[in-house]
């Protein structure tokens, strides 16, 4: 039996993957079977989040015992095929062949080109010189922003922002990424004024509407704190941006095309572009963003390197950070004076590389004082299952509760989750209901299956509405809604959460944050694609926070489980975390790293 037939018999391939292989076979019946199978697997790899397929590790993609060809022989067959390009120069286009073999990886040509173009553009941005810094002119502001050495890494990030056109600021929850950015923007604004540049044009963006709202709110809180301290000139604070938008809105979507209004030929009209939650940005979108950055524009990427990668292809932030190296771009030292600090930052980084462009923040955690999450999060990040289980079983962490072996939190005797959701139907004020909705969320690793978000939502809908499980969701008061596609006509975006409540006339409406009164109402039938949001996958919850989080892992191990998924799930909690899982499943999850097959880091290190 051929390898392609065996792959189809196992059910591993999608119809799209098999269609690609069969299209090539129709064009050239003499194509070897191993080339056809590799083409189908390169297509499948993209669906699994990889940029390409590695013939040396086929079971990483399809974990089935099949007659896999030896890696060297397989690669040679691919290299010999006229349908596979083998460019000698990584910076050169691959030609017109549908597949590309490069450094041992087989790509669909489009994704190899995304990698190549992104690497070229990021290296070009990184190599750009920044405007000259008049340390004397901005030193008083720097001293007011960083009055002591406790904010050492934030001060170093701010100093680096005056020297680097590409700036990478990373850190876990509550380490002060947005606070550092607020201070950095103030310094850049003051620097521009000292240089006679006038007002800087600054854009704030994030992958989802919810993440953009949180980014704007966090920067607003930072600005309010600085205003209350009374040490920063009011005009500088007023010059800071107050709104953030999705990356799709920033770039300008165009109907019925994957292209954006802003691109290399029509770049974004900004001096600084700041992107939060960069780990959520996939390879095609990051490529299009980087190409839309004009020469002379500063690009700042914020993210948590331990969170899940994007749902779509690529683990872009991880590759960028691998190329950038550790987050110690500046040696330790006095962080209270701008002059000495700038003296330790070269005016230009190493030619063509990303080294010296990253600062990793480490102080603090965002969670409430009643939630002692840091020790558990550190164990999960490190993949130390023994330590994580000790912390969970010991009950020593305030606000952290471990439900060993629980597979149905809806029947938990500890907390009546459904009772909380019933209360959402009682507030007459939709704004109050939306605020209360953030008090609890059930997060899952899977979308399908008995522990998946879809089945759990169906059960919760039935319990709250009185309808049988499997019936179409009713528009009952208190139903939480999750938007699953961007709709610029509505001003609603993938990840936005709303609630169904009647208006004064008793008409059921869907209420979302925004508008003059803090909420906006839509007729349910007019909404873009959506689903219930009582239970959400961890991927969908990325970029959000909730007072109480129940994280449910499946009853059996699943390859989607990883330390990054568990880390992302537990760090969505602000005040209380409930982790429902069997200890062996949790142990298996922490032993798995959600890495993606990619050549981007190698390209960036050129």
């Amino acid at each position: 039996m051929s390898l392609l037939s065996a792959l189809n018999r196992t059910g591993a391939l999608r119809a799209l993957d098999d269609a690609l292989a069969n299209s090539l076979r129709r064009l050239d019946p003499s194509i070897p079977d191993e080339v056809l199978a590799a083409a189908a697997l390169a297509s499948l790899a993209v669906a699994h989040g990889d940029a390409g397929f590695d013939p040396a590790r086929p079971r990483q993609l399809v974990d089935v015992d099949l007659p896999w060809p030896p890696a060297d022989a397989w690669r040679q067959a691919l290299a010999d095929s006229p349908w596979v390009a083998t460019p000698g120069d990584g910076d050169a286009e691959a030609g017109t062949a549908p597949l590309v073999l490069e450094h041992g990886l087989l790509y669909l040509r489009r994704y190899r080109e995304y990698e190549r173009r992104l690497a070229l553009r990021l290296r070009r941005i990184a190599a750009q010189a920044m405007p000259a810094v008049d340390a004397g002119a901005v030193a008083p502001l720097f001293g007011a922003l960083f009055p002591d050495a406790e904010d050492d890494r934030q001060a170093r990030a701010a100093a680096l922002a005056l020297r680097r056109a590409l700036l990478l600021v990373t850190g876990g929850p509550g380490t002060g990424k947005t606070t550092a950015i607020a201070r950095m923007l103030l310094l850049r604004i003051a620097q521009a004024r000292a240089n006679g540049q006038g007002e800087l044009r600054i854009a704030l963006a994030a992958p989802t509407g919810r993440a953009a709202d949180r980014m704007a709110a966090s920067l607003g809180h930072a600005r309010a704190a600085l205003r209350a301290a009374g040490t920063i000139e009011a005009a500088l604070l007023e010059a800071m941006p107050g709104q953030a938008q999705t990356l799709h809105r920033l770039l300008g979507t165009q109907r019925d095309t994957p292209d954006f209004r802003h691109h290399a030929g029509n770049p974004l009209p900004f001096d600084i572009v700041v992107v939060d939650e960069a780990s959520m940005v996939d390879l095609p979108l990051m490529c299009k963003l980087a190409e839309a950055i004009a020469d002379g524009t500063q690009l700042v990427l914020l993210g948590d390197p331990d969170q899940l990668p994007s749902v779509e292809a690529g683990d872009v932030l991880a590759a960028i950070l691998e190329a950038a190296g550790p987050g110690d771009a500046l040696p330790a030292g006095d962080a209270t004076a701008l002059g000495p600090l700038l003296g330790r930052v070269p005016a230009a980084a190493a030619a063509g590389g990303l080294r010296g462009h990253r600062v990793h923040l480490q102080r603090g955690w965002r969670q409430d004082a009643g939630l002692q999450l840091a020790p558990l999060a550190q164990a999960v990040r490190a993949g130390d299952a023994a330590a994580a289980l000790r912390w969970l079983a010991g009950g020593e962490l305030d606000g952290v509760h471990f439900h060993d072996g629980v597979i149905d939190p809806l029947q938990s005797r500890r907390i009546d989750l459904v009772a909380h959701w019933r209360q959402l139907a009682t507030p007459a004020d939709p704004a109050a209901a939306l605020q209360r909705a953030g008090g609890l969320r059930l997060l899952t690793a899977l979308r399908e299956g008995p522990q998946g978000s879809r089945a759990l939502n169906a059960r919760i809908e039935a319990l709250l509405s009185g309808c049988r499980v499997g019936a179409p969701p009713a528009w009952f008061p208190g139903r939480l809604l999750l938007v699953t596609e961007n709709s610029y006509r509505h001003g609603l975006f993938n990840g936005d959460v709303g609630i169904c409540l009647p208006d004064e006339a008793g008409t059921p409406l869907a209420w979302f944050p925004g508008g003059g009164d803090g909420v906006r109402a839509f007729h349910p039938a007019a909404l873009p694609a959506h689903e219930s949001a009582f239970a959400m996958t961890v991927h969908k919850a990325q970029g959000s926070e909730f007072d109480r989080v129940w994280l449910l892992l499946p009853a059996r191990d699943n390859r989607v489980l990883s330390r990054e998924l568990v880390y992302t799930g537990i760090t969505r909690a602000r005040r209380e975390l409930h982790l429902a899982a069997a200890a062996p499943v949790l142990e298996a999850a922490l032993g798995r790293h959600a890495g993606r097959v990619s050549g981007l880091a190698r390209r960036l290190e050129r």
Side-chain angles (χ1 to χ4, degrees), residues 27 65 100 135 179 213 426 455 499:
L27 290 168
D65 188 13
V100 181
T179 300
D213 289 343
T426 57
I499 191 168

Side-chain angles (χ1 to χ4, degrees), residues 359-493:
V359 171
H360 185 67
L361 306 179
Q362 296 178 328
R363 282 186 69 239
W365 281 76
R366 175 177 58 234
Q367 280 72 29
D368 186 85
L371 177 58
Q372 194 179 358
L373 190 58
L376 175 61
Q378 289 165 0
V380 170
R381 287 166 52 197
D384 189 343
L389 287 168
R390 282 198 304 271
W391 284 116
L392 289 167
E396 305 169 22
L397 302 180
D398 295 339
V400 176
H401 308 276
F402 183 42
H403 305 272
D404 189 1
V406 170
I407 60 173
D408 189 357
L410 298 183
Q411 295 184 357
S412 170
R413 299 179 180 179
R414 296 282 300 275
I415 296 178
D416 188 348
L417 302 183
V418 177
H420 169 85
W421 289 314
R422 283 200 176 97
Q423 296 173 5
L424 298 180
T426 57
D429 179 9
L434 284 169
Q435 184 175 6
R436 185 180 292 182
L440 172 68
R441 200 57 46 93
L442 174 56
L443 303 184
T444 68
L446 307 174
R447 177 172 173 79
E448 307 297 340
Q451 286 88 43
S453 61
R454 177 174 288 181
L456 289 166
N457 273 321
R459 290 177 56 201
I460 295 166
E461 290 163 3
L463 290 169
L464 294 176
S465 68
C467 299
R468 61 180 178 81
V469 175
W475 295 107
F476 56 88
R479 182 188 175 199
L480 288 181
L481 306 171
L482 175 70
V483 175
T484 57
E485 70 176 11
N486 293 330
S487 174
Y488 292 93
R489 180 168 65 90
H490 295 84
L492 295 174
F493 303 98

Side-chain angles (χ1 to χ4, degrees), residues 300-599:
V300 182
L301 301 179
L302 311 180
D304 184 343
D306 297 303
Q307 284 196 26
L308 279 169
S310 61
V311 176
E312 305 299 333
D315 191 354
V316 179
L317 181 64
I320 294 173
L321 298 181
E322 182 181 341
D328 297 311
L330 296 176
D334 180 20
T336 61
L338 180 59
L341 196 55
L342 281 177
R344 302 203 305 276
V345 188
L354 270 60
R355 298 278 168 172
H357 289 260
R358 177 188 179 191
V359 171
H360 185 67
L361 306 179
Q362 296 178 328
R363 282 186 69 239
W365 281 76
R366 175 177 58 234
Q367 280 72 29
D368 186 85
L371 177 58
Q372 194 179 358
L373 190 58
L376 175 61
Q378 289 165 0
V380 170
R381 287 166 52 197
D384 189 343
L389 287 168
R390 282 198 304 271
W391 284 116
L392 289 167
E396 305 169 22
L397 302 180
D398 295 339
V400 176
H401 308 276
F402 183 42
H403 305 272
D404 189 1
V406 170
I407 60 173
D408 189 357
L410 298 183
Q411 295 184 357
S412 170
R413 299 179 180 179
R414 296 282 300 275
I415 296 178
D416 188 348
L417 302 183
V418 177
H420 169 85
W421 289 314
R422 283 200 176 97
Q423 296 173 5
L424 298 180
T426 57
D429 179 9
L434 284 169
Q435 184 175 6
R436 185 180 292 182
L440 172 68
R441 200 57 46 93
L442 174 56
L443 303 184
T444 68
L446 307 174
R447 177 172 173 79
E448 307 297 340
Q451 286 88 43
S453 61
R454 177 174 288 181
L456 289 166
N457 273 321
R459 290 177 56 201
I460 295 166
E461 290 163 3
L463 290 169
L464 294 176
S465 68
C467 299
R468 61 180 178 81
V469 175
W475 295 107
F476 56 88
R479 182 188 175 199
L480 288 181
L481 306 171
L482 175 70
V483 175
T484 57
E485 70 176 11
N486 293 330
S487 174
Y488 292 93
R489 180 168 65 90
H490 295 84
L492 295 174
F493 303 98
N494 185 13
D496 285 353
V497 173
I499 191 168
C500 187
L501 288 173
D503 63 8
E504 294 180 356
T507 303
L509 295 175
W511 302 84
F512 288 83
D517 298 326
V519 289
R520 296 173 295 154
F522 300 87
H523 191 281
L527 289 176
H530 58 277
E531 58 192 29
S532 288
F534 303 103
M536 298 168 61
T537 63
V538 173
H539 266 111
K540 286 290 187 183
Q542 205 166 347
S544 299
E545 293 178 318
F546 311 98
D547 290 339
R548 286 186 294 163
V549 164
W550 270 77
L551 175 59
L552 174 65
L553 300 188
R556 295 182 179 84
D557 185 31
N558 187 296
R559 63 180 297 167
V560 76
L561 298 179
S562 66
R563 69 188 69 165
E564 288 82 5
L565 183 141
V566 176
Y567 172 83
T568 303
I570 66 175
T571 55
R572 299 310 91 202
R574 277 191 294 247
R575 299 179 183 174
E576 190 175 293
L577 169 68
H578 293 263
L579 177 54
V585 173
L586 179 60
E587 186 174 5
L590 298 191
R592 187 178 290 117
H593 173 54
R596 299 276 178 85
V597 175
S598 167

